[in-house]
Amino acid sequence: MRFIRVLFLSVLLLSLAPSSAAAQTPAPPSAVRVIIDSMTPEERVGQLFLVSFNGDSAAADSQIYDLIANRHVGGVILTAQNNNFSEADTLDRAKRLIGELQQIEWSSSVTPTQNSIRNTYAPLFVGISQEGDGAPADQILDGLTPLPSQMALGATWNASLSEKVGEVLGAEISALGFNLLMGPSLDVLEFPSATGGDLGTRVFGGDPYWVGKLAQAYIRGLHNGSNHKLLAIAKHFPGAGGADRLPQEEVATVRKSLEQLKQVEFAPFFAVTGNADEADETADGLLVSHIRYQGFQGNIRAATRPVSFDSQALGQILALPEFASWYEESGLLISDDLGSPAVREFYAASGNPFQARIAARDSFLAGNDLLYLGNIKGDDAPDSYTSITRTIDFFAQKYREDPAFAQRVDDSVARILAAKFKIYKNFSIGNVLASSSAPSPSANADIAFQVARSAATLVSPSQQDLASILPSPPRPNSRIVFITDAVSATQCANCAPRPILASDTFQNAVLRLYGPQSGNQIEGSRLRSYSFDDLKSWLDSSDESPLADSLKTADWVVVSVADATRGQPALLSRLFRERPSALLNKTLILFSFDAPYYFDATALSRFTAYYALYGKQAPFIDVAARLLFQELTPTGASPVSIPAIGYDLIDVTSPNPNQIISLSLDLPPAAATPEAGATPEPTVAPLFSIGDTISLRTSVIKDRNGNQVPDGTVARFSMLLTGEGGGILQQVESATTDGIARAAFGLDKPGLLEIRVASEPALISDALKLDVSQTGKVAITVISPEMTQPAPPTPTPEATQTPDAFIASDGRPLVSAWTIAMLIILFASGAFFAIASRFTKRRSAIRMALGMLFGGLLAYNVLAFGAFDLSNWLLEEKLRGVVYAALVGQALGLAAGWVWSRSKK
């Protein structure tokens, strides 16, 4: 009988294969119901679990083979930590592994088991977390396009770039066979922590509106890039941005009420669920994090459950209107890693042994549909595999014994199958296996550089101040010392470490872009590179070191930080405190390839300039090199607050007071363009009279960074009666949408009326004037004020390098200067010999004259070959400097000659 049902099911699923025009139509509930009815209890509960396994083999004797074929798990998550990816041929082998996993599920449905039973076929979820910026946020370290971190996207304030990055990622990982992305992160980093413990560059930023806007674009890109073969699972729901520790390490507590959570933490999730404008922008699921909220869940104690285990709290959140409709339409809830240290420590606090099946049951009954078990291991099991099988057996037994539990399982399985139908439309192995070739990262190499260039931020000083502090880049004869936070990673436990940012990476980028083969703007012999380990060794030792020797002659010191949570800011503070003389009279530049808020005000005051790049991939290093040589002007702005420099995101995203807000009539859209040859309708200005309603709109209101203000920014429209007895007649407050505010006024009183708008602190706007009378209609007159700006300070003109007949642009004497210097040296030495020989012995006169000759030649060579960097002095003094140097050298030579002449033979 079961064989007949499975055969009928296969025919039904094949009949559901849609045309391309119906690609977005979900499977009818009847199809999902048929599949569920054909499943055994074991198959149903198996669908609830996302599992992990170690290694890159899915052989018939492997544990993952058993979990798929005999335990019927719903999906698999692949990670670098579990050695699921190999170092050689990473992409090809990953694609082959994913195909093998899907083939196991298919084969178990078409090949009878030992009990002559065929399993019901449902494709596996195969998931990955690939957040960008390499290790540790990425699982695949080689072969894919090196994509930026989310914070780098946030620093561009550009939703189009966010969408493009999503498209590239969606296309590349879906081509390998992945159909589930654990991301993007929608956490709002409202108050960054300089001591670490937050998500750092793994978030879009600290403004809820912009996090939601960029997330919408990113998810749209994921869906379109993958041709809707990839589910986007937004994390870490309901929001971990306010946590003071990472959610996988320890259960964090956030002190906020429900209303506060709705304004900040929940807002980006609203944007990709109930408030999404398009289906493509809607998240397919939410990853429920292990976090507690004091003020919402009440007083927090050690026994207070995280939201991921609290059915009352999670249910209350999902009942909010913004989530309710999304959840009712088969929105998927996935628990965060149940095998994480945070979960184990929470259960250990009760004093009882940790049991995997109890944690899984509690998470499921809290409302999660899919349970990500990770590397879960109970205290009552020898390994993770045993814990997983016992958990599945426990669920299957409870399904048979508890009808309410069984109904809850069936509801979640229906959501899971509906999500799988969104990807595949019909369940057949040919439709599931990835057919496209492995991705070629070279095709998308440009996108990372675009983001890096747009994200690059000058944190300190301002651009105007930098122009006076640092008017020019390094010169060809400048000596540069690079101190780099070298980091490396491995693709697997047995793989060789690969440098992510080596100690000489920055130097190599500078040489490639500006060295002898690229314009010869810098000499390779004058560059030296050291790591933070070299810096620490020098500070820990009283002995001199190569780093100390290089710093003595350096003109520029370039410090690069890749991971500021490892104590690098403290190490730099030691350098400033313990070896201050090593950095005297040097241009000191700091590049952060991490989040920008880890350095305090005192440390930043020591640097000539501080740039934030938000990513350590190769394109970001190239952009940093171009910033150093002032080829690029940084255009990005930090998407998070930086307390050390007084950069407050709330203030930055408020309306710019130095703008004039335009006002216009809010008219219906213009009619379609007339056909060729047709006479266009003339544009008629609307007229108004008593009793009419006038609808108005503003221009896009800009914030202090030049971006549109966040949605919900308040604008106040005022209608005034001018002249004698005038005053405010009406005021309307309106919240912006896409930067634009709208309002309507009823014209119920005659007189000369004026309408203005203000959005504090932006108080200046156009004025709309109309003289409304009891009879007749009148038009509106728009009066645009002029923005009065304080007179800017008179800029100090920069020294221009005009061509000189004697000194080259790099500060070295030319041949003409050599000729004059030689004539002066020879003439002065000869004249001295002629005069001195009359008053002293001939031998003494010769010795002193030779001393003058050799002293003058030595002085000239010091200038010509750069033994001492006097180039800036020569550029100011020009030929006079050459003459001064030659005469000083001759005077010193004369003194040496006199000593020589007085010495005994």
Side-chain angles (χ1 to χ4, degrees), residues 80-119:
Q81 177 187 1
N82 285 331
N83 305 306
N84 297 137
F85 305 104
S86 59
E87 186 172 27
D89 301 323
T90 306
L91 299 190
D92 289 336
R93 294 177 69 170
K95 183 176 181 180
R96 183 164 62 249
L97 174 62
I98 294 170
E100 290 171 356
L101 296 173
Q102 295 286 13
Q103 190 68 53
I104 293 169
E105 171 65 18
W106 172 258
S107 297
S108 67
S109 69
V110 297
T111 303
T113 64
Q114 57 186 357
N115 298 323
S116 300
I117 295 177
R118 288 184 173 91
N119 296 330

Side-chain angles (χ1 to χ4, degrees), residues 119-416:
N119 296 330
T120 301
Y121 176 62
L124 291 172
F125 284 133
V126 183
I128 189 173
S129 176
Q130 191 80 2
E131 299 178 2
D133 196 34
D138 283 345
Q139 305 306 310
I140 298 178
L141 304 183
D142 191 29
L144 299 177
T145 299
L147 294 177
S149 67
Q150 288 186 201
M151 189 173 284
L153 289 171
T156 70
W157 304 80
N158 188 326
S160 176
L161 284 176
S162 185
E163 181 175 357
K164 289 179 181 178
V165 169
E167 284 180 3
V168 172
L169 180 60
E172 292 187 349
I173 64 174
S174 65
L176 298 176
F178 289 104
N179 53 29
L180 189 74
L181 177 69
M182 308 298 258
S185 167
L186 269 63
D187 304 292
V188 179
L189 202 55
E190 187 179 13
F191 302 108
S193 171
T195 59
D198 55 31
L199 293 167
T201 58
R202 296 170 59 193
V203 304
F204 284 116
D207 181 81
Y209 167 75
W210 279 101
V211 171
K213 186 177 181 66
L214 293 170
Q216 285 179 329
Y218 193 90
I219 291 172
R220 184 169 60 245
L222 289 171
H223 286 149
N224 292 332
S226 66
N227 196 24
H228 298 275
K229 297 286 187 179
L230 183 71
L231 300 184
I233 310 300
K235 60 184 183 184
H236 302 85
F237 183 74
D244 57 358
R245 60 210 68 200
L246 296 176
Q248 67 268 24
E249 294 178 358
E250 186 179 351
V251 175
T253 298
V254 175
R255 289 177 170 81
K256 287 190 176 182
S257 66
L258 180 59
E259 286 305 313
Q260 290 173 316
L261 293 172
K262 287 164 64 176
Q263 293 173 12
V264 180
E265 270 78 2
F266 294 175
F269 292 97
F270 290 161
V272 299
T273 53
N275 293 343
D277 294 332
E278 305 173 15
D280 286 347
E281 298 174 349
T282 303
D284 303 288
L286 301 175
L287 187 75
V288 184
S289 185
H290 310 309
I291 193 167
R292 297 180 289 210
Y293 298 100
Q294 187 175 18
F296 166 48
Q297 292 178 275
N299 291 328
I300 300 297
R301 298 179 176 85
T304 303
R305 292 176 177 270
V307 169
S308 52
F309 295 96
D310 188 337
S311 59
Q312 181 178 353
L314 187 56
Q316 189 176 348
I317 294 171
L318 293 175
L320 295 172
E322 295 85 351
F323 294 132
S325 59
W326 172 86
Y327 186 63
E328 290 169 2
E329 295 172 3
S330 300
L332 200 61
L333 295 183
I334 304 178
S335 77
D336 206 343
D337 186 358
L338 297 178
S340 67
V343 174
R344 172 175 285 276
E345 289 183 13
F346 168 71
Y347 278 92
S350 65
N352 298 319
F354 176 63
Q355 294 180 304
R357 61 182 181 274
I358 300 303
R361 180 204 63 189
D362 292 348
S363 182
F364 178 67
L365 294 179
N368 293 290
D369 301 304
L370 265 171
L371 306 176
Y372 175 27
L373 298 182
N375 294 326
I376 195 168
K377 179 187 174 299
D379 292 336
D380 58 346
D383 54 34
S384 178
Y385 168 73
T386 304
S387 294
I388 293 172
T389 56
R390 289 178 180 177
T391 300
I392 296 175
D393 291 342
F394 171 74
F395 269 62
Q397 180 181 352
K398 193 166 180 61
Y399 184 97
R400 287 189 166 89
E401 296 172 352
D402 186 345
F405 184 83
Q407 183 59 52
R408 173 74 181 84
V409 169
D410 288 351
D411 291 344
S412 287
V413 173
R415 291 178 183 277
I416 293 166

